[in-house]
Amino acid sequence: MQSLSPYGIQAMLKEGHKHLSGLDEAVLKNIDACKELSAITRTSLGPNGMNKMVINHLDKLFVTNDAATIVNELEVQHPAAKILVLAARAQQEEIGDGANLVISFAGELLEMAEGLIRMGLHPSEIISGYNKAINKIVEILDELVEQGSDSMDVRNKDEVVLRMRAAVASKQFGLEDILCQLIADACIQVCPKNPANFNVDNVRVAKLVGGGLHNSTVVRGMVLKNDAVGSIKRAEKAKIAVFVGGIDTSATETKGTVLIHSAEQLENYAKTEEAKVEELIKAVADSGAKVIVSGAAVGDMALHFCERYKLMVLKISSKFELRRFCRTTGAVALLKLSQPNPDELGYADFISVEELGGVRVTVVKNEEGGNSVATVVLRGSTDSILDDLERAVDDGVNTYKAMCRDSRIIPGAAASEIELAKKLKEFSLKETGLDQYAIAKFSESFEMIPRTLSENAGLNAMEIISSLYAEHASGKTKVGIDLENGICKDVTEMKIWDLYVTKYFALKYAADAASTVLRVDQIIMAKPAGGPRRGDPPAGMDED
């Protein structure tokens, strides 16, 4: 009996495709996937956020509460949840902090939208309401900005630390005071004349296992985690030659056979090789270089002549590190060992091998020129702790970059969110039409932040939220949660401030991501491309 021929959309598309449409199959399934993702990151929100243990496809272990790292390593497959991941990534690249807020808030918005859809609202009405809400939020956020915070001296350490504390505390609660001092020092050292041109890459992190965070320091310059090759360990006001291909006798492209008849010829053969290496090293020394940096192996004979000509030799095997070294010193990396031109040489004020916590490191300091680099040397007991500290430093540096562009601050510790919820609720009551339900739900979504902060700290969320609303209703707009004592308190006393741009972009990206997910009403998945599987006979050959 012949199989029934497909009809409708089945007939239009290739065999093996999947087609999901309608509210139940497409919209609500998408919302479910996004809710799952936001449930994962939500417990990591805030200073008391829990850590996640993620093991990626390369078997590398991550123990962190940094949402950007978690979602990057999770390798999310679901297309709707991927939209949230992309929004978090955009936030991470734009500001460098607030990725968790984007995912958690977008998940909450979608959960609220699900309730509205089940009530009978159409997704397009919800999207329209959400768009009105986000426009209103931008207006309210401008009113919440602290007076006088729009102008700041980015080289004033106290002002920098004030704006950076909340971002660092959300990653390393309890250590923010020590870390903020280190990060602020490093950032101020490398801040160019025009702060808007601040480059995040100029603040490096060197992680050395051992000691504790109180042993951490800031070094003006680069810290290379290896010793100098040879016996010369120090050079001052040195010109530097950088060779990518290593410092060794170069093997020829062609192979040849040398026939040697006597011992004298053998001796001469060895001597010519020596003479050639010496000639090359002497040429480098004559160019005025005091330091040679190699990107690959350093031969014994070449090292011997470097010692003779009093050249300090460094080996940097990572090409990224080598590139950074060239940027710090202004050197041009040469491919082959040859005499460098004067303009290809780099310069450093001071290069020396020092011992930091039992590890020999090479410190390259360069006070001159605007290409200076500062390195935060972090100390800690395990690699996982150091990795997490590095993420906190990274967040701090990114926050510094953001405040160089826009230094406005708004109250932190969920004070802004409650004020936004209150004002947005009032706005929704003035609206007519079905949009008002979506705007009201948007304002309810803000409660997720104080609720999550309280739950993660083990406090009674309902009690905290109701007392926050009561304080804000009486006109105290700067009252937030004091998580340590479990009470509501003025943020000016606690010194918890969030950057305006972080909050602005996080809420905008979250609302955009939620709207994008709600706009989808059909999912059509093509049949996966079926390439030849392992073990299949090659094309055109039949199996016997």
Side-chain angles (χ1 to χ4, degrees):
M1 196 177 120
Q2 279 189 323
S3 62
L4 288 169
S5 60
Y7 63 95
I9 198 161
Q10 285 353 57
M12 186 177 78
L13 296 168
K14 247 185 186 175
E15 194 184 339
H17 78 281
K18 270 190 190 167
H19 174 243
L20 306 169
S21 68
L23 284 180
D24 280 343
E25 279 195 342
V27 183
L28 297 178
K29 271 192 178 150
N30 282 347
I31 290 175
D32 275 348
C34 296
K35 272 162 51 182
E36 290 295 324
L37 180 65
S38 107
I40 293 173
T41 59
R42 191 173 296 182
T43 50
S44 296
L45 185 71
N48 297 83
M50 307 301 279
N51 280 356
K52 303 277 181 260
M53 203 179 258
V54 183
I55 298 159
N56 71 359
H57 62 289
L58 298 172
D59 271 353
K60 186 169 176 1
L61 171 71
F62 293 87
V63 181
T64 178
N65 60 4
D66 180 43
T69 309
I70 295 166
V71 295
N72 272 344
E73 298 306 329
L74 277 181
E75 294 185 19
V76 176
Q77 286 299 311
H78 194 285
K82 255 188 189 163
I83 292 171
L84 262 61
V85 174
L86 290 172
R89 206 170 284 166
Q91 172 76 4
Q92 192 65 19
E93 283 168 15
E94 185 71 40
I95 308 292
D97 180 36
N100 200 336
L101 179 58
V102 173
I103 295 175
S104 305
F105 192 65
E108 185 72 13
L109 286 175
L110 288 167
E111 198 170 323
M112 293 293 178
E114 185 182 4
L116 291 170
I117 288 170
R118 291 193 192 283
M119 271 167 54
L121 257 74
H122 193 272
S124 61
E125 286 158 350
I126 299 171
I127 293 165
S128 156
Y130 278 6
N131 286 340
K132 279 185 184 170
I134 201 74
N135 292 336
K136 182 68 182 168
I137 281 165
V138 174
E139 288 173 31
I140 304 168
L141 271 178
D142 285 340
E143 294 165 20
L144 292 176
V145 171
E146 180 69 3
Q147 292 288 314
S149 67
D150 50 353
S151 60
M152 75 170 272
D153 175 12
V154 289
R155 290 177 180 78
N156 180 339
K157 197 167 163 185
D158 294 339
E159 286 193 34
V160 171
V161 169
L162 180 75
R163 288 164 169 76
M164 204 184 275
R165 271 194 70 193
V168 176
S170 68
K171 297 284 175 288
Q172 294 290 333
F173 189 44
L175 305 175
E176 67 268 23
D177 291 328
I178 307 171
L179 272 173
C180 284
Q181 297 292 334
L182 291 170
I183 302 166
D185 274 344
C187 292
I188 291 166
Q189 276 179 18
V190 299
C191 186
K193 284 191 176 70
N194 178 6
N197 297 335
F198 178 79
N199 184 0
V200 182
D201 212 29
N202 284 347
V203 178
R204 307 300 315 156
V205 175
K207 299 175 287 189
L208 302 177
V209 175
L213 184 63
H214 55 277
N215 302 112
S216 303
T217 52
V218 175
V219 175
R220 175 130 195 199
M222 269 185 90
V223 174
L224 305 170
K225 283 168 74 173
N226 46 10
D227 195 351
V229 188
S231 61
I232 299 168
K233 306 286 186 193
R234 188 183 170 90
E236 285 182 22
K237 293 195 167 42
K239 286 186 176 172
I240 302 164
V242 179
F243 299 106
V244 182
I247 304 164
D248 206 349
T249 47
S250 51
T252 52
E253 292 289 319
T254 52
K255 284 205 165 88
T257 312
V258 180
L259 196 59
I260 292 171
H261 292 289
S262 62
E264 200 178 311
Q265 281 178 335
L266 181 63
E267 213 170 31
N268 288 341
Y269 180 74
K271 270 184 185 162
T272 51
E273 190 184 3
E274 260 182 54
K276 184 71 184 148
V277 175
E278 182 172 9
E279 186 191 323
L280 287 168
I281 301 292
K282 186 174 185 300
V284 175
D286 289 346
S287 70
K290 282 189 191 175
V291 180
I292 289 185
V293 178
S294 163
V298 180
D300 289 343
M301 196 187 294
L303 184 60
H304 161 72
F305 287 115
C306 288
E307 298 278 304
R308 184 187 284 183
Y309 288 105
K310 299 279 186 292
L311 293 173
M312 180 178 180
V313 183
L314 295 176
K315 183 182 164 198
I316 303 176
S317 41
S318 154
K319 65 177 180 186
F320 299 106
E321 199 75 356
L322 196 65
R323 205 175 292 163
R324 226 168 270 131
F325 181 88
C326 289
R327 201 176 64 219
T328 310
T329 56
V332 176
L334 303 170
L335 281 173
K336 218 165 76 181
L337 185 59
S338 57
Q339 180 165 12
N341 297 332
D343 55 346
E344 291 171 337
L345 291 174
Y347 174 83
D349 289 338
F350 178 75
I351 298 181
S352 79
V353 176
E354 294 173 16
E355 198 163 304
L356 290 175
V359 182
R360 294 181 82 81
V361 294
T362 308
V363 178
V364 182
K365 289 190 179 174
N366 204 352
E367 309 288 336
E368 296 297 312
N371 57 359
S372 57
V373 169
T375 304
V376 180
V377 180
L378 290 177
R379 310 296 312 284
S381 50
T382 66
D383 286 329
S384 291
I385 289 174
L386 284 171
D387 286 343
D388 226 21
L389 284 171
E390 184 184 10
R391 287 184 200 107
V393 171
D394 195 46
D395 270 20
V397 175
N398 278 305
T399 307
Y400 184 82
K401 184 185 178 181
M403 74 177 81
C404 283
R405 287 186 294 172
D406 185 349
S407 62
R408 289 177 293 172
I409 50 176
I410 54 175
S416 301
E417 281 80 2
I418 288 290
E419 191 60 23
L420 284 166
K422 178 172 142 282
K423 294 258 178 79
L424 202 58
K425 187 78 180 157
E426 290 165 9
F427 171 67
S428 75
L429 298 173
K430 293 174 193 162
E431 277 293 303
T432 54
L434 292 171
D435 295 351
Q436 63 174 316
Y437 296 108
I439 299 170
K441 287 290 184 191
F442 200 110
S443 73
E444 255 177 70
S445 303
F446 281 113
E447 290 178 17
M448 177 274 297
I449 291 154
R451 186 170 67 242
T452 308
L453 290 175
S454 313
E455 282 169 3
N456 289 350
L459 306 172
N460 183 335
M462 293 317 296
E463 231 174 74
I464 296 274
I465 291 173
S466 52
S467 54
L468 276 175
Y469 269 126
E471 293 279 5
H472 280 252
S474 63
K476 296 177 185 168
T477 56
K478 290 181 191 166
V479 172
I481 313 171
D482 179 0
L483 291 173
E484 281 185 66
N485 302 315
I487 52 170
C488 297
K489 204 171 171 186
D490 198 313
V491 295
T492 40
E493 288 175 42
M494 297 188 284
K495 294 200 174 120
I496 300 175
W497 299 95
D498 286 338
L499 274 181
Y500 169 85
V501 278
T502 308
K503 198 71 88 192
Y504 170 81
F505 279 111
L507 297 176
K508 203 167 165 47
Y509 285 148
D512 285 351
S515 300
T516 309
V517 173
L518 288 172
R519 272 203 180 93
V520 175
D521 76 329
Q522 288 198 5
I523 306 170
I524 302 164
M525 285 185 278
K527 182 185 172 190
R533 290 190 296 277
R534 193 180 293 169
D536 284 0
M541 279 176 64
D542 293 326
E543 282 185 278
D544 295 330

